Amino acid sequence: MATAGSAGEPPPERGGAYDYRGVVHFEYSPELDRDADPGEIVWTWVAFEDDASIGKDRPVAVVGRTDDRRLVALMLSSKDHNDDRAWLAIGAGPWDADGRPSWVRRDRVLAVAPGAVRREGAIVPRPVYESIVAGMSGTTSRAPAPAARTGLRSRLRRLLGRPS
């Protein structure tokens, strides 16, 4: 029987990604080494929002980890979402074999056990990763970042008067 994650949400019975509402430790550490890492697009089964007993295999952008080292991810779509503020256009990349532009859904945060990832797809370029993370403001709790951090996210946090 599946056990609940640290934030109390039960993982789907078939494995894969599920809704997550806990603390996210953001990091960018992609390495195409057959282990999913933050900063990569990977494939996993994602439960449908309206019925968690069904879902589909889809790409997700890994943005960080939970306290217990599960991956935190956002789902991707090749469907045009230009008029939907919940989605961020990230362009085309090697994660889509047909070269279609992709969108990341920023308002549904997912957790997935590393063993439930079916395969790695590609590394997300650092500027795209930073855009995704910046677009997640208000959707999740954030763990304190180390003081020595530099980069777009840290600069944005300083500009907004939030501790880095």
Side-chain angles (χ1 to χ4, degrees):
M1 177 164 181
T3 59
S6 63
E9 65 286 311
E13 294 206 8
R14 70 165 288 165
Y18 53 97
D19 293 334
Y20 177 71
R21 289 174 186 77
V23 173
V24 178
H25 299 276
F26 292 96
E27 66 179 80
Y28 183 79
S29 57
E31 186 178 341
L32 294 180
D33 58 0
R34 297 196 173 128
D35 290 323
D37 302 300
E40 295 177 2
I41 304 288
V42 300
W43 268 256
T44 189
W45 186 84
V46 177
F48 290 148
E49 206 169 7
D50 56 346
D51 184 352
S53 68
I54 57 175
K56 71 181 209 177
D57 192 56
R58 67 181 316 135
V60 296
V62 181
V63 296
R65 296 184 190 276
T66 65
D67 285 338
D68 62 1
R69 307 296 292 159
R70 287 171 293 152
L71 302 167
V72 176
L74 303 174
M75 62 188 225
L76 269 67
S77 176
S78 58
K79 180 182 172 193
D80 187 321
H81 289 278
N82 268 334
D83 297 325
D84 189 340
R85 294 176 55 117
W87 293 80
L88 173 70
I90 62 167
W95 52 84
D96 186 285
D98 296 329
R100 297 173 294 187
S102 295
W103 281 259
V104 172
R105 183 171 176 187
R106 300 180 290 186
D107 67 341
R108 184 178 181 208
V109 181
L110 306 168
V112 62
V117 171
R118 186 173 60 81
R119 72 177 172 94
E120 290 176 298
I123 291 175
V124 177
R126 182 70 184 241
V128 173
Y129 171 86
E130 295 289 348
S131 296
I132 293 168
V133 170
M136 291 176 66
S137 67
T139 62
T140 185
S141 303
R142 297 170 186 256
R149 281 215 124 130
T150 59
L152 179 61
R153 188 175 85 230
S154 294
R155 289 191 303 259
L156 285 171
R157 292 180 72 77
R158 283 193 302 275
L159 286 169
L160 296 172
R162 295 180 183 157
S164 60

